[in-house]
Amino acid sequence: DPSNRDPAYARTHLRTLCDDRARAGSSQGGSENASFPLGRRRAVLEADTAALLARIAVIDGAGFCSFERKALAAAEPDLARRALARILVTISGAVYAPRGARLDRLLGALTGAEGYAARTLAGCRIVPYRGEILVCREPAAARERVVITRAGAYRWDNRFTLHVARNDLGSGVALEINRLGRNGWAQLTAAEPRLRATPIPQPVRLTLPAVFAGGQLVAAPHLEFGAVSAASAQGFVAVAAFAPTIPLAGPVFGVV
């Protein structure tokens, strides 16, 4: 990438400075001296990536992120790559961010002049949506099932924490957390047709956490749906919070 050698960028100056200091440290025989500039460079890149994400991206409590293609394309290539990888690792709930040729191809498609078609990478869908790019969980990847045994907090898909409170724990009804999916969405809209108009984007809806009892939808917290009148779920309450394993950009970034 020619921009890596462009002195107009602060990161180019920083890289040169770090290389010079690393060589100086090596000549003095001190590995601890060489580690300082490398650590400093990483800190600067992390800060620059966080600043870019704070400027161009919006993350939603329903577990998705949106940004403008032009904003990503206008960023320095290495920062754009790091920002895209961070979005994917946050939305997927993974521990490690994607890298390599597949990430580069996705970035090239997003920042290219031609139109963009939906793709998948690292357990995420990256789709054009209302003039922006929307990154959400791939439904097939969100397949974890978590059995609810008592009131308390439950982690699901490494992305959400569900706080569950029930007053019928002795009823023997088996409850589990799973993605809403097509079956859950059909049950939900049949019971509450008004929820078809939810502002949550269509690509996101099937990936939302939901609570089921024997295949019957009991609750969909993000859609404020709960079968509190059913005998099998009397007094059931569930609240879901988006809490990914890797946050988008630390304390400088909030979830709306």
PDB file of all heavy atoms in Angstrom, residues 7-8 12 19 27 34 47-48 53 71 93 112 124 128 133 151 158 161 174 177 185 200 204 207-208 221 245:
ATOM      1  N   PRO A   7       4.551  10.393   3.822  1.00  0.00           N
ATOM      2  CA  PRO A   7       4.872  11.150   5.038  1.00  0.00           C
ATOM      3  C   PRO A   7       3.752  12.090   5.474  1.00  0.00           C
ATOM      4  O   PRO A   7       3.820  12.662   6.563  1.00  0.00           O
ATOM      5  CB  PRO A   7       6.132  11.922   4.643  1.00  0.00           C
ATOM      6  CG  PRO A   7       6.057  12.036   3.151  1.00  0.00           C
ATOM      7  CD  PRO A   7       5.403  10.762   2.684  1.00  0.00           C
ATOM      8  N   ALA A   8       2.718  12.253   4.643  1.00  0.00           N
ATOM      9  CA  ALA A   8       1.604  13.120   5.028  1.00  0.00           C
ATOM     10  C   ALA A   8       0.797  12.517   6.163  1.00  0.00           C
ATOM     11  O   ALA A   8       0.074  13.219   6.882  1.00  0.00           O
ATOM     12  CB  ALA A   8       0.692  13.382   3.824  1.00  0.00           C
ATOM     13  N   THR A  12       2.703   7.117   9.330  1.00  0.00           N
ATOM     14  CA  THR A  12       3.959   6.860   8.621  1.00  0.00           C
ATOM     15  C   THR A  12       5.131   7.399   9.425  1.00  0.00           C
ATOM     16  O   THR A  12       6.163   6.732   9.589  1.00  0.00           O
ATOM     17  CB  THR A  12       3.936   7.519   7.239  1.00  0.00           C
ATOM     18  OG1 THR A  12       2.796   7.050   6.520  1.00  0.00           O
ATOM     19  CG2 THR A  12       5.195   7.184   6.456  1.00  0.00           C
ATOM     20  N   ASP A  19      10.578   2.379  14.208  1.00  0.00           N
ATOM     21  CA  ASP A  19      11.628   1.540  13.627  1.00  0.00           C
ATOM     22  C   ASP A  19      13.009   2.038  14.026  1.00  0.00           C
ATOM     23  O   ASP A  19      13.900   1.253  14.363  1.00  0.00           O
ATOM     24  CB  ASP A  19      11.494   1.531  12.107  1.00  0.00           C
ATOM     25  CG  ASP A  19      10.272   0.758  11.638  1.00  0.00           C
ATOM     26  OD1 ASP A  19       9.715   0.002  12.458  1.00  0.00           O
ATOM     27  OD2 ASP A  19       9.878   0.934  10.467  1.00  0.00           O
ATOM     28  N   SER A  27      20.652  -2.177  19.038  1.00  0.00           N
ATOM     29  CA  SER A  27      22.094  -1.961  19.042  1.00  0.00           C
ATOM     30  C   SER A  27      22.629  -1.865  20.452  1.00  0.00           C
ATOM     31  O   SER A  27      23.794  -2.126  20.710  1.00  0.00           O
ATOM     32  CB  SER A  27      22.428  -0.686  18.260  1.00  0.00           C
ATOM     33  OG  SER A  27      21.886   0.456  18.920  1.00  0.00           O
ATOM     34  N   ALA A  34      13.311  -1.957  22.821  1.00  0.00           N
ATOM     35  CA  ALA A  34      12.639  -2.113  21.535  1.00  0.00           C
ATOM     36  C   ALA A  34      11.137  -2.280  21.706  1.00  0.00           C
ATOM     37  O   ALA A  34      10.358  -1.896  20.842  1.00  0.00           O
ATOM     38  CB  ALA A  34      13.217  -3.318  20.794  1.00  0.00           C
ATOM     39  N   ALA A  47      -6.036   3.963  19.195  1.00  0.00           N
ATOM     40  CA  ALA A  47      -6.725   5.234  19.407  1.00  0.00           C
ATOM     41  C   ALA A  47      -7.274   5.781  18.096  1.00  0.00           C
ATOM     42  O   ALA A  47      -8.411   6.281  18.043  1.00  0.00           O
ATOM     43  CB  ALA A  47      -5.780   6.242  20.053  1.00  0.00           C
ATOM     44  N   ASP A  48      -6.491   5.686  17.026  1.00  0.00           N
ATOM     45  CA  ASP A  48      -6.949   6.167  15.727  1.00  0.00           C
ATOM     46  C   ASP A  48      -8.131   5.348  15.210  1.00  0.00           C
ATOM     47  O   ASP A  48      -9.067   5.887  14.615  1.00  0.00           O
ATOM     48  CB  ASP A  48      -5.816   6.124  14.710  1.00  0.00           C
ATOM     49  CG  ASP A  48      -4.765   7.198  14.962  1.00  0.00           C
ATOM     50  OD1 ASP A  48      -5.044   8.106  15.770  1.00  0.00           O
ATOM     51  OD2 ASP A  48      -3.677   7.119  14.361  1.00  0.00           O
ATOM     52  N   LEU A  53     -14.039   4.820  14.259  1.00  0.00           N
ATOM     53  CA  LEU A  53     -15.302   4.136  14.522  1.00  0.00           C
ATOM     54  C   LEU A  53     -16.313   5.075  15.179  1.00  0.00           C
ATOM     55  O   LEU A  53     -17.500   5.060  14.845  1.00  0.00           O
ATOM     56  CB  LEU A  53     -15.058   2.912  15.404  1.00  0.00           C
ATOM     57  CG  LEU A  53     -14.391   1.729  14.710  1.00  0.00           C
ATOM     58  CD1 LEU A  53     -13.895   0.716  15.734  1.00  0.00           C
ATOM     59  CD2 LEU A  53     -15.355   1.069  13.731  1.00  0.00           C
ATOM     60  N   ALA A  71     -17.792   6.977   4.035  1.00  0.00           N
ATOM     61  CA  ALA A  71     -17.001   7.323   5.214  1.00  0.00           C
ATOM     62  C   ALA A  71     -15.869   6.325   5.420  1.00  0.00           C
ATOM     63  O   ALA A  71     -14.742   6.698   5.773  1.00  0.00           O
ATOM     64  CB  ALA A  71     -17.894   7.384   6.448  1.00  0.00           C
ATOM     65  N   GLY A  93     -19.524 -11.612  18.069  1.00  0.00           N
ATOM     66  CA  GLY A  93     -19.291 -12.161  19.401  1.00  0.00           C
ATOM     67  C   GLY A  93     -18.043 -13.015  19.480  1.00  0.00           C
ATOM     68  O   GLY A  93     -17.812 -13.701  20.484  1.00  0.00           O
ATOM     69  N   GLY A 112     -14.980   0.165  -2.987  1.00  0.00           N
ATOM     70  CA  GLY A 112     -14.855   0.329  -4.427  1.00  0.00           C
ATOM     71  C   GLY A 112     -15.930   1.242  -4.998  1.00  0.00           C
ATOM     72  O   GLY A 112     -16.924   1.575  -4.341  1.00  0.00           O
ATOM     73  N   CYS A 124     -21.007 -12.980  10.188  1.00  0.00           N
ATOM     74  CA  CYS A 124     -21.794 -11.759  10.038  1.00  0.00           C
ATOM     75  C   CYS A 124     -22.333 -11.651   8.618  1.00  0.00           C
ATOM     76  O   CYS A 124     -21.746 -12.167   7.668  1.00  0.00           O
ATOM     77  CB  CYS A 124     -20.947 -10.521  10.338  1.00  0.00           C
ATOM     78  SG  CYS A 124     -20.412 -10.376  12.047  1.00  0.00           S
ATOM     79  N   PRO A 128     -26.242  -3.950   2.149  1.00  0.00           N
ATOM     80  CA  PRO A 128     -26.689  -2.570   1.941  1.00  0.00           C
ATOM     81  C   PRO A 128     -28.092  -2.405   2.495  1.00  0.00           C
ATOM     82  O   PRO A 128     -28.955  -3.260   2.286  1.00  0.00           O
ATOM     83  CB  PRO A 128     -26.659  -2.425   0.411  1.00  0.00           C
ATOM     84  CG  PRO A 128     -26.762  -3.808  -0.126  1.00  0.00           C
ATOM     85  CD  PRO A 128     -26.154  -4.718   0.881  1.00  0.00           C
ATOM     86  N   ILE A 133     -24.389   0.718   5.064  1.00  0.00           N
ATOM     87  CA  ILE A 133     -23.996  -0.677   5.197  1.00  0.00           C
ATOM     88  C   ILE A 133     -24.378  -1.143   6.591  1.00  0.00           C
ATOM     89  O   ILE A 133     -24.037  -0.501   7.586  1.00  0.00           O
ATOM     90  CB  ILE A 133     -22.485  -0.865   4.980  1.00  0.00           C
ATOM     91  CG1 ILE A 133     -22.106  -0.455   3.556  1.00  0.00           C
ATOM     92  CG2 ILE A 133     -22.073  -2.307   5.247  1.00  0.00           C
ATOM     93  CD1 ILE A 133     -22.757  -1.288   2.460  1.00  0.00           C
ATOM     94  N   ALA A 151     -33.944 -18.317  37.894  1.00  0.00           N
ATOM     95  CA  ALA A 151     -33.836 -16.885  37.677  1.00  0.00           C
ATOM     96  C   ALA A 151     -32.364 -16.470  37.732  1.00  0.00           C
ATOM     97  O   ALA A 151     -31.575 -17.029  38.494  1.00  0.00           O
ATOM     98  CB  ALA A 151     -34.643 -16.128  38.726  1.00  0.00           C
ATOM     99  N   ASN A 158     -22.418 -15.282  22.949  1.00  0.00           N
ATOM    100  CA  ASN A 158     -21.285 -14.397  23.266  1.00  0.00           C
ATOM    101  C   ASN A 158     -21.572 -12.937  22.933  1.00  0.00           C
ATOM    102  O   ASN A 158     -20.643 -12.143  22.787  1.00  0.00           O
ATOM    103  CB  ASN A 158     -20.017 -14.830  22.514  1.00  0.00           C
ATOM    104  CG  ASN A 158     -19.284 -15.943  23.225  1.00  0.00           C
ATOM    105  OD1 ASN A 158     -19.476 -16.150  24.410  1.00  0.00           O
ATOM    106  ND2 ASN A 158     -18.463 -16.666  22.501  1.00  0.00           N
ATOM    107  N   THR A 161     -26.534 -10.621  27.112  1.00  0.00           N
ATOM    108  CA  THR A 161     -26.808 -11.097  28.464  1.00  0.00           C
ATOM    109  C   THR A 161     -28.305 -10.943  28.705  1.00  0.00           C
ATOM    110  O   THR A 161     -28.845  -9.839  28.568  1.00  0.00           O
ATOM    111  CB  THR A 161     -26.031 -10.296  29.511  1.00  0.00           C
ATOM    112  OG1 THR A 161     -24.624 -10.466  29.284  1.00  0.00           O
ATOM    113  CG2 THR A 161     -26.361 -10.771  30.911  1.00  0.00           C
ATOM    114  N   ALA A 174     -39.644 -26.626  30.488  1.00  0.00           N
ATOM    115  CA  ALA A 174     -38.284 -26.416  30.011  1.00  0.00           C
ATOM    116  C   ALA A 174     -38.246 -25.178  29.118  1.00  0.00           C
ATOM    117  O   ALA A 174     -38.916 -25.114  28.089  1.00  0.00           O
ATOM    118  CB  ALA A 174     -37.811 -27.643  29.239  1.00  0.00           C
ATOM    119  N   ILE A 177     -33.112 -20.327  25.604  1.00  0.00           N
ATOM    120  CA  ILE A 177     -32.833 -19.141  24.804  1.00  0.00           C
ATOM    121  C   ILE A 177     -32.281 -19.599  23.458  1.00  0.00           C
ATOM    122  O   ILE A 177     -31.387 -20.445  23.394  1.00  0.00           O
ATOM    123  CB  ILE A 177     -31.801 -18.238  25.504  1.00  0.00           C
ATOM    124  CG1 ILE A 177     -32.282 -17.860  26.903  1.00  0.00           C
ATOM    125  CG2 ILE A 177     -31.542 -16.980  24.677  1.00  0.00           C
ATOM    126  CD1 ILE A 177     -31.206 -17.219  27.763  1.00  0.00           C
ATOM    127  N   TRP A 185     -40.491 -15.621  14.560  1.00  0.00           N
ATOM    128  CA  TRP A 185     -41.047 -14.407  13.954  1.00  0.00           C
ATOM    129  C   TRP A 185     -42.497 -14.630  13.514  1.00  0.00           C
ATOM    130  O   TRP A 185     -43.349 -13.756  13.702  1.00  0.00           O
ATOM    131  CB  TRP A 185     -40.182 -13.973  12.781  1.00  0.00           C
ATOM    132  CG  TRP A 185     -40.731 -12.796  12.029  1.00  0.00           C
ATOM    133  CD1 TRP A 185     -41.326 -12.809  10.806  1.00  0.00           C
ATOM    134  CD2 TRP A 185     -40.740 -11.428  12.456  1.00  0.00           C
ATOM    135  NE1 TRP A 185     -41.708 -11.547  10.439  1.00  0.00           N
ATOM    136  CE2 TRP A 185     -41.359 -10.672  11.432  1.00  0.00           C
ATOM    137  CE3 TRP A 185     -40.285 -10.777  13.591  1.00  0.00           C
ATOM    138  CZ2 TRP A 185     -41.539  -9.295  11.515  1.00  0.00           C
ATOM    139  CZ3 TRP A 185     -40.453  -9.387  13.679  1.00  0.00           C
ATOM    140  CH2 TRP A 185     -41.073  -8.670  12.657  1.00  0.00           C
ATOM    141  N   ILE A 200     -36.572  -2.250  14.017  1.00  0.00           N
ATOM    142  CA  ILE A 200     -35.387  -3.104  13.912  1.00  0.00           C
ATOM    143  C   ILE A 200     -35.299  -3.623  12.477  1.00  0.00           C
ATOM    144  O   ILE A 200     -36.262  -4.196  11.958  1.00  0.00           O
ATOM    145  CB  ILE A 200     -35.454  -4.270  14.905  1.00  0.00           C
ATOM    146  CG1 ILE A 200     -35.438  -3.741  16.341  1.00  0.00           C
ATOM    147  CG2 ILE A 200     -34.291  -5.248  14.686  1.00  0.00           C
ATOM    148  CD1 ILE A 200     -35.597  -4.812  17.396  1.00  0.00           C
ATOM    149  N   VAL A 204     -31.906  -8.131  10.762  1.00  0.00           N
ATOM    150  CA  VAL A 204     -31.504  -8.352  12.153  1.00  0.00           C
ATOM    151  C   VAL A 204     -32.522  -9.201  12.910  1.00  0.00           C
ATOM    152  O   VAL A 204     -32.171  -9.939  13.832  1.00  0.00           O
ATOM    153  CB  VAL A 204     -31.322  -6.987  12.872  1.00  0.00           C
ATOM    154  CG1 VAL A 204     -30.948  -7.184  14.344  1.00  0.00           C
ATOM    155  CG2 VAL A 204     -30.290  -6.145  12.156  1.00  0.00           C
ATOM    156  N   THR A 207     -32.170 -12.852  14.103  1.00  0.00           N
ATOM    157  CA  THR A 207     -31.002 -13.150  14.939  1.00  0.00           C
ATOM    158  C   THR A 207     -31.179 -12.675  16.375  1.00  0.00           C
ATOM    159  O   THR A 207     -30.276 -12.832  17.192  1.00  0.00           O
ATOM    160  CB  THR A 207     -29.741 -12.495  14.359  1.00  0.00           C
ATOM    161  OG1 THR A 207     -29.833 -11.063  14.508  1.00  0.00           O
ATOM    162  CG2 THR A 207     -29.581 -12.821  12.888  1.00  0.00           C
ATOM    163  N   LEU A 208     -32.318 -12.096  16.703  1.00  0.00           N
ATOM    164  CA  LEU A 208     -32.542 -11.586  18.053  1.00  0.00           C
ATOM    165  C   LEU A 208     -32.693 -12.741  19.041  1.00  0.00           C
ATOM    166  O   LEU A 208     -33.256 -13.787  18.703  1.00  0.00           O
ATOM    167  CB  LEU A 208     -33.798 -10.721  18.083  1.00  0.00           C
ATOM    168  CG  LEU A 208     -33.758  -9.418  17.291  1.00  0.00           C
ATOM    169  CD1 LEU A 208     -35.133  -8.773  17.271  1.00  0.00           C
ATOM    170  CD2 LEU A 208     -32.722  -8.465  17.882  1.00  0.00           C
ATOM    171  N   PRO A 221     -37.429 -10.148  24.030  1.00  0.00           N
ATOM    172  CA  PRO A 221     -37.227  -8.907  24.787  1.00  0.00           C
ATOM    173  C   PRO A 221     -37.059  -7.657  23.945  1.00  0.00           C
ATOM    174  O   PRO A 221     -37.603  -6.605  24.285  1.00  0.00           O
ATOM    175  CB  PRO A 221     -35.968  -9.207  25.611  1.00  0.00           C
ATOM    176  CG  PRO A 221     -35.944 -10.696  25.741  1.00  0.00           C
ATOM    177  CD  PRO A 221     -36.497 -11.211  24.463  1.00  0.00           C
ATOM    178  N   THR A 245     -18.398  -9.851  23.438  1.00  0.00           N
ATOM    179  CA  THR A 245     -17.130 -10.211  24.065  1.00  0.00           C
ATOM    180  C   THR A 245     -16.083  -9.126  23.863  1.00  0.00           C
ATOM    181  O   THR A 245     -15.353  -8.758  24.791  1.00  0.00           O
ATOM    182  CB  THR A 245     -16.627 -11.541  23.474  1.00  0.00           C
ATOM    183  OG1 THR A 245     -17.620 -12.549  23.647  1.00  0.00           O
ATOM    184  CG2 THR A 245     -15.334 -11.976  24.148  1.00  0.00           C
TER     185      THR A 245
END
